[in-house]
Amino acid sequence: MLDQSILEQVKGIFASLKSEITLNVALAKENEKTAEMRQFIDEFTSVSDRLKAEFNEVEGQELRFGLVRDGQPTGISFRGIPNGHEFTSLLLAVLNADGQGKNFPDETTQRRIKALKGNIALKTYVSLTCTNCPDVVQALNLMSLINPNIRHEMIDGGLFQQEVSELGIQGVPAVYCNGESLHIGRGDLGILLQKLEDMVGSETDDNAEPVEHHHDVIVVGGGPAGASAAIYSARKGLRVAVVAERIGGQVNDTTGIENLISVPQTNGTQLAADLKAHIGSYPIDIFEHRKLTHVDFSGKEKSIGVKGRETFFAPAVIIATGASWRRLGVADEEKYIGHGIHFCQHCDGPFYKGKNVAVIGAGNSGLEAAIDLSGICNSVSVYEFSDHPKADTVLQQKAATLDNLKIFTNSQVTKVEGDGTKLTAITVKDRTNDEERSIGIDGVFVQIGLAANSEPFKEQLDMTPRHEIKVDEFCRTTIAGVYAAGDVTNVPYKQIVIAMGEGAKAALSAFDDRLRGII
């Protein structure tokens, strides 16, 4: 079942195991995948004398195993056979259970995880072909190891389709906490931790010492603009901190990238990893998985506060928080996200094989999504607000060759409808005559651009009507010592290459102001 070359690689990976890891397996004779699961477990555990399996025969359709470290349950379990992209999740779970792996969060983030209230049972429904599911599974597995009150189970939705249907799941990864929906779609440890804190709460430790960090420059945000600003600042010999929810930012949610000059082709995951590696090649302090709680730009020494009683101080702050997917802004939109409304065709498109879907927006991302979906869906209708598609000519030409893809311009979605469980229709207004019509639809993929992540700064910095931070040609804001770069600003054209240039410009402006005694 597992290729011999893969087993040899795994054998090398597990050569350093110190703990005894037991796979406690529960199998039901009635499940047609039982023999396959047993073979998978036998082959997997054969690579190390530190791995073993205990098989238990149970009733029903059970197909599950949990990880036990030196006789103690870890809280991590897998329902189904973790092949495909989830095989990496299993490998990492074993290493992490042994205390190994570079993916463990820092002390402040671990403190937040340990502070989560009560007993927490997490379930993540995945597709083994989903490239985003492992990030969520691995983050929640880590939380289980850090907080003994957390249990997490990965579930292969393809094997337990009745369960998926009963829950109305139409997108993966789909995370449930104590039986309630917590998260659907792309995510990482920082995003999931924030959602858990919001749902279950945290035990505040009033006796815990607040943590302070002092630097020459604080870069808020870890995308292309933030990475560039940090590197340029570090090259000037300054003490630099990057405070971000995730390194790579919005780049992590991008698929093919073919317009980054000198790099003919890459993807978001690879570029995010390259940005992190480049930042790491300099003496830059990286503080990832941070959620801003307050900022104070009133004095010469600026401060940035994040969850976990952690505060950063510096005379120069470069804001590079980027942007997030813009939503439709109609009633019940939130209710049907993940249940008919989606933002990623790669993750959730397979749920709509042979069905009728709509894509909102005819820019590059919209037509790329529509073209991808046309290969598996019965029909794809693209609704564009303006009077013409905004996508590159090559994409429009490709779309025109597809019989099951239609583009409608001057179209505005004014309403979404559903049965309480899933989306069933959208209302579209013809902007030329204001006539509205209800269109039955199985799924909607929203691709209408980005909204600036500027909320934490709106009380202190000047903003445009689109809530973008106003900057001059030197990336300076209206407050001395505070700079902004990239998609969060009013600089036109939201592109990776432009954000990188703006980040460099902000760093050089901050250094110039430092030399001249302005900050």
Side-chain angles (χ1 to χ4, degrees):
M1 184 176 184
L2 289 172
D3 186 86
Q4 189 59 40
S5 63
I6 292 176
L7 289 173
E8 286 299 318
Q9 292 177 43
V10 176
K11 185 176 182 179
I13 292 170
F14 288 162
S16 61
L17 288 179
K18 300 177 181 63
S19 307
E20 184 175 275
I21 306 295
T22 302
L23 277 59
N24 196 333
V25 190
L27 297 175
K29 281 185 177 180
E30 294 85 352
N31 195 308
E32 61 181 14
K33 291 285 185 178
T34 289
E36 187 178 337
M37 170 74 107
R38 183 179 287 274
Q39 181 183 350
F40 176 88
I41 297 293
D42 285 339
E43 291 178 357
F44 183 75
T45 55
S46 70
V47 300
S48 171
D49 57 7
R50 290 288 183 176
L51 288 174
K52 68 176 185 177
E54 293 181 354
F55 291 94
N56 302 285
E57 191 174 298
V58 296
E59 300 294 326
Q61 291 292 314
E62 197 65 280
L63 196 75
R64 176 203 314 258
F65 66 91
L67 298 189
V68 177
R69 177 188 58 224
D70 293 333
Q72 297 298 317
T74 62
I76 297 172
S77 60
F78 295 82
R79 185 139 57 98
I81 304 171
N83 258 325
H85 292 295
E86 291 304 333
F87 187 63
T88 303
S89 296
L90 173 58
L91 296 180
L92 201 52
V94 172
L95 287 174
N96 288 162
D98 192 50
Q100 300 186 54
K102 297 180 179 179
N103 58 325
F104 277 95
D106 57 55
E107 185 178 340
T108 299
T109 305
Q110 291 197 38
R111 187 169 66 183
R112 287 173 59 192
I113 295 170
K114 291 174 183 176
L116 291 168
K117 286 184 178 179
N119 292 312
I120 301 170
L122 299 168
K123 294 182 178 181
T124 302
Y125 292 86
V126 306
S127 165
L128 299 183
T129 61
C130 169
T131 58
N132 297 309
C133 291
D135 290 339
V136 170
V137 171
Q138 291 162 23
L140 296 178
N141 283 346
L142 266 181
M143 290 191 195
S144 299
L145 294 171
I146 293 167
N147 185 334
N149 295 320
I150 297 176
R151 302 187 312 281
H152 176 239
E153 181 176 57
M154 182 224 80
I155 302 167
D156 179 1
L159 293 183
F160 298 93
Q161 293 183 4
Q162 181 177 346
E163 195 171 324
V164 168
S165 178
E166 289 172 353
L167 289 169
I169 294 173
Q170 292 181 293
V172 292
V175 183
Y176 286 77
C177 173
N178 296 335
E180 295 183 29
S181 178
L182 175 75
H183 174 86
I184 296 175
R186 299 173 188 264
D188 59 19
L189 190 145
I191 292 170
L192 295 163
L193 177 55
Q194 179 64 46
K195 289 191 173 185
L196 280 169
E197 288 173 332
D198 292 342
M199 177 178 280
V200 305
S202 295
E203 298 285 356
T204 57
D205 185 357
D206 295 329
N207 296 319
E209 287 292 323
V211 179
E212 293 186 359
H213 305 277
H214 294 266
H215 293 80
D216 296 321
V217 179
I218 299 169
V219 178
V220 187
S228 178
I231 290 167
Y232 266 73
S233 296
R235 287 176 62 85
K236 295 297 184 181
L238 301 177
R239 291 175 298 123
V240 182
V242 174
V243 181
E245 291 191 17
R246 56 177 176 168
I247 300 301
Q250 189 72 19
V251 159
N252 287 281
D253 301 333
T254 306
T255 49
I257 300 170
E258 299 177 354
N259 56 358
L260 184 57
I261 308 307
S262 85
V263 182
Q265 189 173 36
T266 185
N267 58 65
T269 301
Q270 184 60 53
L271 181 55
D274 290 342
L275 290 174
K276 191 166 190 175
H278 201 169
I279 294 171
S281 68
Y282 290 88
I284 297 170
D285 296 326
I286 300 176
F287 299 88
E288 203 172 3
H289 310 308
R290 291 332 196 250
K291 181 71 175 178
L292 268 63
T293 56
H294 64 277
V295 298
D296 185 356
F297 299 150
S298 60
K300 187 166 184 178
E301 191 83 351
K302 320 302 180 188
S303 69
I304 302 288
V306 301
K307 294 199 88 168
R309 304 192 70 191
E310 196 174 18
T311 309
F312 299 83
F313 296 91
V317 172
I318 300 174
I319 300 167
T321 46
S324 302
W325 292 116
R326 193 181 299 277
R327 298 190 178 186
L328 294 171
V330 298
D332 286 340
E333 180 178 17
E334 187 73 28
K335 180 178 182 179
Y336 292 111
I337 289 177
H339 301 279
I341 297 177
H342 308 276
F343 300 90
C344 176
Q345 77 275 11
H346 301 287
C347 305
D348 305 326
F351 286 90
Y352 294 90
K353 185 177 182 180
K355 297 185 178 182
N356 303 313
V357 302
V359 173
I360 314 303
N364 283 345
S365 60
L367 282 199
E368 285 173 356
I371 292 167
D372 284 347
L373 291 165
S374 70
I376 58 173
C377 296
N378 178 55
S379 70
V380 181
S381 300
V382 180
Y383 297 98
E384 167 58 40
F385 184 85
S386 69
D387 60 3
H388 65 280
K390 298 177 181 177
D392 292 342
T393 301
V394 64
L395 291 173
Q396 294 188 48
Q397 291 173 341
K398 174 62 177 177
T401 67
L402 303 172
D403 293 336
N404 64 338
L405 193 162
K406 303 297 180 185
I407 301 174
F408 301 89
T409 57
N410 285 308
S411 300
Q412 179 183 2
V413 177
T414 58
K415 184 180 179 182
V416 297
E417 305 169 44
D419 60 9
T421 301
K422 65 181 185 298
L423 183 82
T424 57
I426 57 175
T427 298
V428 178
K429 181 173 74 173
D430 184 335
R431 296 181 60 244
T432 63
N433 55 24
D434 288 340
E435 289 185 2
E436 292 188 334
R437 60 189 179 115
S438 179
I439 302 168
I441 207 78
D442 296 306
V444 170
F445 292 81
V446 182
Q447 299 285 326
I448 55 175
L450 302 169
N453 295 326
S454 60
E455 182 70 17
F457 316 104
K458 67 178 182 179
E459 300 299 329
Q460 301 192 44
L461 299 176
D462 286 354
M463 304 276 171
T464 69
R466 292 171 61 88
H467 307 292
E468 297 167 327
I469 298 174
K470 288 183 179 180
V471 294
D472 64 14
E473 64 269 33
F474 296 95
C475 293
R476 297 185 178 105
T477 70
T478 49
I479 297 178
V482 180
Y483 311 82
D487 290 1
V488 74
T489 73
N490 60 330
V491 170
Y493 309 120
K494 312 306 184 185
Q495 297 290 311
I496 292 171
V497 68
I498 292 174
M500 288 179 171
E502 291 295 301
K505 190 199 299 181
L508 294 173
S509 295
F511 183 71
D512 187 47
D513 288 349
R514 181 186 180 91
L515 289 181
R516 293 190 294 135
I518 295 175
I519 61 173

